[in-house]
Amino acid sequence: MTTTPAGIASIGLQLPPLFMPVTELAELRSVDPNKYTKGLGCIDIALCPSGDDAATLAVGAAKRALSRWNGSIEDIGLVAVGTESAKDMSRPLSAWVAEELGLSGTVRSYEVKHACYGGTLALRQALEWKWSGAGAGKVALVIASDVALYSPEDPGEPTQGAGAVAMIIGEPTVAHVAPVSFPFSSPAFDFWRPVGDAFPSVDGQLSLDCYKRAVTECFGALIGDRDARSVLAEYQSMCFHVPFPKMVKKAVLHLGEHLGWSAQEAERLYLEKVEDTLEWNRLVGNAYTASLWISVARALVGLEEGTPITAFSYGSGYGAELLHLTAGPAAAAAPWVSDVDEDLRSRKPLDMWGYETLRGHARAS
Ligand code: HMG
């Protein structure tokens, strides 16, 4: 296939200004903190102050991606926001972003929804728009942005989080994305949020099983009839959607078992290629559509040009896709690290009383 070269030209991240250690939540819920830290692998939950939402995060991330890119706003021909934190059933989240950025005119602007997979779908559509030539020389602005909250006392509460990743799709200076990818979908009610409900409903065990099946299907398609060890050895890192860090480890161990590997060999794969990619996710929590791209942004840091990584996207409902990326020349300097450093340094901790107040459940003391 002859395609117009395209990939990720710039990345910007935005993390919220508040957080709560999961150990505080454990105290509030009278749960052994080891369940959240060791059992689920979480450290902190990133939280938005009241008034901030997925649009605020998306705008922040977009401004940062644009600030370190050598083009102008007139060069953008498509803006797509992947989210499951929509503000409106009709008006796309991209309209809030476009308004803030002064982006209007010959621009295709829309929102993409498929649970946590929506950001990846927006990215794929933007790449396919570029590769097909439909972009006519323009670039795309793709943003994955979410605020993940469960109802108080839900088992998912320690996995909450929020964040946004914006990517300019143009020259592959940050990363090249291979046109061939490995999707898999199978309808299920593993995690869903009916219209009008503030918080999701979850079938926890089913969601774990769907995620693991999607991993084996997508990696099975990547490996095909080649030797699994040599295929996976080609990748410097393997990034995953991160609902909570332990989910990723469970999925890698499950993949190893599916491939007929010993538990030790699968554990080694996890330690060598996956664990480091979770560093920022542990401090943010599940940022739904942004989770995978936070992990990818971390994995690209310092990579030599041409180094390959994988990115596994999963969205409940469910749909998944495995992508192959190679680092571009800008990955070595990775200027987006300053976004994360700045946001983590300046964010304010909430104790359990602050959290209760934020969620509107303050108790009279
Ligand atoms: P739970 O059922 O309360 O937890 O919630 P559990 O009882 O299964 O315990 C969790 C782990 O902690 C277990 O480890 C326990 O043994 C361990 P495992 O056996 O599984 O290895 N544990 C302890 N460890 C140390 N010390 C202790 C202790 N106590 C227990 N004292 C659940 C878990 C995942 C169900 C919950 O957090 C939840 O509902 N989360 C939301 C759903 C979710 O994240 N699913 C993941 C796949 S679906 C997905 O990724 C899509 C999603 O991002 C949404 C989208 O696409 O939009 C969620």
Side-chain angles (χ1 to χ4, degrees):
M1 178 168 56
T2 312
T3 56
T4 309
I8 304 170
S10 177
I11 296 186
L13 293 97
Q14 181 71 56
L15 306 180
L18 301 174
F19 76 102
M20 178 174 66
V22 290
T23 49
E24 279 288 327
L25 180 68
E27 197 180 338
L28 179 66
R29 300 292 177 230
S30 306
V31 168
D32 180 346
N34 287 327
K35 176 175 179 183
Y36 296 166
T37 54
K38 296 195 167 63
L40 298 174
C42 306
I43 298 178
D44 294 329
I45 295 167
L47 292 158
C48 290
S50 75
D52 280 12
D53 57 19
T56 322
L57 294 169
V59 169
K63 285 184 175 167
R64 284 171 162 175
L66 288 165
S67 73
R68 53 179 73 106
W69 171 67
N70 282 334
S72 74
I73 203 92
E74 288 76 34
D75 298 328
I76 298 174
L78 184 155
V79 54
V81 181
T83 190
E84 55 181 300
S85 313
K87 284 166 79 85
D88 191 281
M89 289 294 290
S90 299
R91 191 177 201 258
L93 206 65
S94 59
W96 274 270
V97 174
E99 212 158 34
E100 280 293 321
L101 300 179
L103 190 55
S104 65
T106 50
V107 182
R108 184 182 287 169
S109 164
Y110 60 99
E111 179 181 303
V112 182
K113 173 167 71 82
H114 186 150
C116 301
Y117 181 28
T120 304
L121 284 168
L123 175 101
R124 288 295 313 183
Q125 288 174 340
L127 284 163
E128 287 161 15
W129 172 80
K130 282 291 289 175
W131 288 326
S132 71
K138 296 227 169 184
V139 302
L141 172 62
V142 168
I143 309 163
S145 181
D146 268 304
V147 175
L149 288 174
Y150 290 83
S151 60
E153 301 183 39
D154 186 283
E157 199 177 16
T159 72
Q160 294 172 138
V165 179
M167 291 168 275
I168 294 176
I169 305 305
E171 290 291 316
T173 47
V174 168
H176 175 268
V177 184
V180 174
S181 60
F182 304 93
F184 182 80
S185 67
S186 180
F189 272 99
D190 59 330
F191 167 110
W192 66 103
R193 181 153 72 87
V195 173
D197 282 11
F199 304 114
S201 299
V202 187
D203 182 335
Q205 188 53 50
L206 178 65
S207 77
L208 269 58
D209 293 344
C210 292
Y211 185 109
K212 287 191 283 190
R213 162 119 196 259
V215 166
T216 55
E217 293 289 346
C218 292
F219 277 91
L222 167 75
I223 293 163
D225 52 14
R226 295 178 293 163
D227 174 57
R229 288 184 180 86
S230 17
V231 172
L232 298 180
E234 286 168 18
Y235 297 98
Q236 173 71 26
S237 296
M238 293 161 62
C239 300
F240 289 82
H241 165 55
V242 190
F244 54 93
K246 198 67 176 289
M247 176 75 247
V248 176
K249 184 169 185 186
K250 279 175 187 289
V252 174
L253 297 185
H254 179 76
L255 175 64
E257 195 184 330
H258 180 78
L259 293 170
W261 294 7
S262 67
Q264 289 82 349
E265 187 173 11
E267 174 101 22
R268 203 161 52 241
L269 180 78
Y270 170 79
L271 291 174
E272 285 174 3
K273 303 202 184 270
V274 185
E275 176 139 290
D276 287 351
T277 71
L278 303 174
E279 184 192 350
W280 293 344
N281 299 90
R282 288 186 201 280
L283 302 172
V284 172
N286 191 355
Y288 290 157
T289 54
S291 273
L292 167 66
W293 297 100
I294 290 172
S295 170
V296 169
R298 172 65 189 81
L300 286 169
V301 175
L303 292 190
E304 205 176 295
E305 185 175 359
T307 309
I309 65 170
T310 56
F312 170 79
S313 188
Y314 178 86
S316 285
Y318 71 89
E321 191 157 340
L322 180 61
L323 312 185
H324 168 115
L325 281 75
T326 43
W336 56 91
V337 172
S338 64
D339 300 345
V340 177
D341 285 348
E342 194 182 317
D343 291 348
L344 292 180
R345 208 175 32 246
S346 62
R347 68 185 187 164
K348 306 260 177 316
L350 286 184
D351 60 14
M352 55 178 151
W353 310 118
Y355 173 73
E356 289 272 78
T357 306
L358 182 72
R359 299 219 51 190
H361 291 273
R363 293 175 195 160
S365 52

